[in-house]
Amino acid sequence: MNKLTIKDLDVQGKRVLMRVDFNVPVKDGVVGDDTRITAALPSINYVLENGGSLVLMSHCGRPKGEKNMEFTLKPAADRLAELVSAKVTLAPDVIGPEVKALVEALPAGEILVLENVRFYKEEEGKGCTAEEQDAFAKELASFGDVYVSDAFGTAHRAHASMAVVTKYIDQCAAGFLLSKEIEYLGKALEAPVKPFVAIIGGAKISGKIDVVTNFLDKCDAILIGGGMAYTFYKAQGKAIGGSLVEDDKVELAGQILQQAEAKGVKLMLPVDNMVADAFSADANTKVVGDSIEDGWMALDIGPKTIELYCNEVASAKTVVWNGPMGCFEMKPFAAGTFSVCEAVAKSDSISIIGGGDSVAAVNLSGVADQMSHVSTGGGASLEFMEGKQLPGIVALTDK
Ligand SMILES: Nc1ncnc2c1ncn2[C@@H]1O[C@H](COP(=O)(O)OP(=O)(O)O)[C@@H](O)[C@H]1O
Ligand SMILES: O=C(OP(=O)(O)O)[C@H](O)COP(=O)(O)O
């Protein structure tokens, strides 16, 4: 990588403004899976051990520019405090005089975590002018002498704390995690060993459906599961009941199906589904085929699909997996995700898993150590593997 890295910086006596991705699953105010926090520890500890202080920035969830405390970074800051020996303080806000005072009083060896940067619409730059976004980024930049990004999971977002703040700080470097991810993903996808199977699921349809198009030219098979599947069903004219769908992606899904056929790529959709009459672990459930009646929603792939997908994975030599096969957080809808997870672990393939929730699922299933690479980025790793330039990397200082 031709970008400055954290090792190129002299952090002694400096305030390091570091963007991390602490967008972690939280339940009842407690972090469920701390992979993204532990993954940033090498960079965090490096700064502290080398005489710097740290101002950490992250988002959590999608609060859409509102200060909604449902999305506070407190659980992440609390978990970080358990993982480092340094004092960790959570600022009451992202910017403003109170935060500025905390930053200025921050001694070397301590960490200040700013509140969720997405509490401000300027972070994503939606619903504000470019000037307003610049002013927000400039204020963030004033909190650091140097900037480090270790937020690989957010590197595909051209947001203020990722790609605008960098205009106002001279030295902007990649942290250890960001550097490691780029190196691994770059090497693995340079010439993937075939058969190359991609498994795409989850709920972020608009963020991930484009990658399916790109994988048509690279993969031998693409297995679609999770909430992604029903936009494809709709494109095929199938009934989807109350299942997740993004209506403005139905047309694209239809085009992808046609392209897959023309290119001879095996694009597989669930042949059966676990459906529920409510989005709840206590809902009534049943297994149905590929048509979902009104009053029911598909929350997991069904047993026949599990078998088909696991067989496909068993013969793969490279597997890229992003997005769970169902709502694995609820026990009745976890079988698809965990079965596919075990199949990937057992397979004799180079396996790359990405995405906050997918990684949480892999950790829960206890087979994380059998995967070749567990990436902290879902959308980011997909876009990187597509060959796209990630704004959060482009913005860093050239060497
Ligand atoms: N059939 C489904 N309907 C609704 N949500 C689903 C379905 N399958 C999976 N999900 C949800 O998708 C979420 C993860 O999606 P996403 O953010 O795209 O994945 P990742 O974080 O791995 O990138 C999980 O919280 C899971 O509950
Ligand atoms: O969790 C993330 O992405 P992922 O679910 O694709 O891994 C990142 O924190 C980016 O979050 P965003 O997709 O709300 O911009």
Side-chain angles (χ1 to χ4, degrees), residues 19 21-24 36 59 61-62 118 124 153-157 159 204 208 322 354-357 376-380 382:
R19 177 52 156 105
D21 185 341
F22 284 177
N23 182 23
V24 289
R36 283 180 168 169
H59 73 284
R62 292 177 169 176
R118 288 192 187 169
E124 295 184 62
T154 319
H156 57 320
R157 307 288 185 215
H159 293 170
K204 292 180 182 172
K208 293 177 184 171
N322 187 296
D357 293 297
T376 49
L382 289 178

Side-chain angles (χ1 to χ4, degrees), residues 179-252:
S179 307
K180 190 179 92 180
E181 291 270 17
I182 292 165
E183 199 185 318
Y184 191 92
L185 295 173
K187 270 191 199 147
L189 271 296
E190 225 168 276
V193 191
K194 300 235 164 192
F196 178 6
V197 175
I199 311 167
I200 310 287
K204 292 180 182 172
I205 298 158
S206 41
K208 293 177 184 171
I209 195 161
D210 290 336
V211 88
V212 180
T213 315
N214 283 282
F215 276 163
L216 288 174
D217 292 323
K218 296 190 172 84
C219 294
D220 301 290
I222 303 175
L223 319 181
I224 307 280
M228 177 74 83
Y230 311 102
T231 298
F232 282 90
Y233 269 20
K234 194 157 183 189
Q236 290 177 320
K238 288 177 179 157
I240 61 164
S243 308
L244 192 69
V245 66
E246 281 191 23
D247 282 316
D248 58 348
K249 294 292 172 190
V250 171
E251 198 183 327
L252 176 59

Side-chain angles (χ1 to χ4, degrees), residues 2-266:
N2 62 342
K3 296 289 181 183
L4 279 191
T5 71
I6 190 168
K7 285 207 150 179
D8 298 317
L9 302 178
D10 173 13
V11 297
Q12 169 73 38
K14 300 260 174 69
R15 244 184 352 238
V16 179
L17 180 67
M18 188 183 288
R19 177 52 156 105
V20 287
D21 185 341
F22 284 177
N23 182 23
V24 289
V26 172
K27 203 176 169 204
D28 302 327
V30 177
V31 171
D33 183 279
D34 64 5
T35 303
R36 283 180 168 169
I37 301 176
T38 53
L41 289 178
S43 293
I44 289 172
N45 286 327
Y46 179 86
V47 171
L48 300 176
E49 283 160 14
N50 285 281
S53 60
L54 262 174
V55 177
L56 291 185
M57 306 182 278
S58 179
H59 73 284
C60 186
R62 292 177 169 176
K64 300 193 171 88
E66 306 270 324
K67 191 167 183 185
N68 177 348
M69 294 315 277
E70 192 192 320
F71 298 99
T72 174
L73 275 171
K74 185 171 186 309
D78 287 348
R79 182 68 190 123
L80 176 66
E82 291 167 358
L83 294 165
V84 292
S85 47
K87 184 177 171 204
V88 178
T89 306
L90 176 67
D93 205 332
V94 183
I95 49 168
E98 221 180 322
V99 180
K100 187 171 184 251
L102 284 170
V103 170
E104 283 172 358
L106 188 69
E110 286 196 14
I111 302 173
L112 179 71
V113 180
L114 304 185
E115 252 302 357
N116 191 337
V117 284
R118 288 192 187 169
F119 282 173
Y120 285 77
K121 57 187 180 325
E122 287 84 351
E123 168 62 4
E124 295 184 62
K126 282 185 204 147
C128 69
T129 63
E131 289 73 26
E132 283 166 336
Q133 191 185 43
D134 269 348
F136 175 73
K138 216 169 178 174
E139 190 163 348
L140 289 176
S142 73
F143 296 161
D145 301 309
V146 291
Y147 172 90
V148 172
S149 177
D150 226 7
F152 177 70
T154 319
H156 57 320
R157 307 288 185 215
H159 293 170
S161 65
M162 297 293 306
V164 188
V165 70
T166 47
K167 288 201 286 188
Y168 302 107
I169 298 191
D170 286 343
Q171 288 187 303
C172 298
F176 291 116
L177 172 63
L178 192 82
S179 307
K180 190 179 92 180
E181 291 270 17
I182 292 165
E183 199 185 318
Y184 191 92
L185 295 173
K187 270 191 199 147
L189 271 296
E190 225 168 276
V193 191
K194 300 235 164 192
F196 178 6
V197 175
I199 311 167
I200 310 287
K204 292 180 182 172
I205 298 158
S206 41
K208 293 177 184 171
I209 195 161
D210 290 336
V211 88
V212 180
T213 315
N214 283 282
F215 276 163
L216 288 174
D217 292 323
K218 296 190 172 84
C219 294
D220 301 290
I222 303 175
L223 319 181
I224 307 280
M228 177 74 83
Y230 311 102
T231 298
F232 282 90
Y233 269 20
K234 194 157 183 189
Q236 290 177 320
K238 288 177 179 157
I240 61 164
S243 308
L244 192 69
V245 66
E246 281 191 23
D247 282 316
D248 58 348
K249 294 292 172 190
V250 171
E251 198 183 327
L252 176 59
Q255 289 162 2
I256 291 172
L257 288 166
Q258 281 174 3
Q259 286 167 14
E261 205 175 326
K263 291 178 190 224
V265 175
K266 210 167 170 183

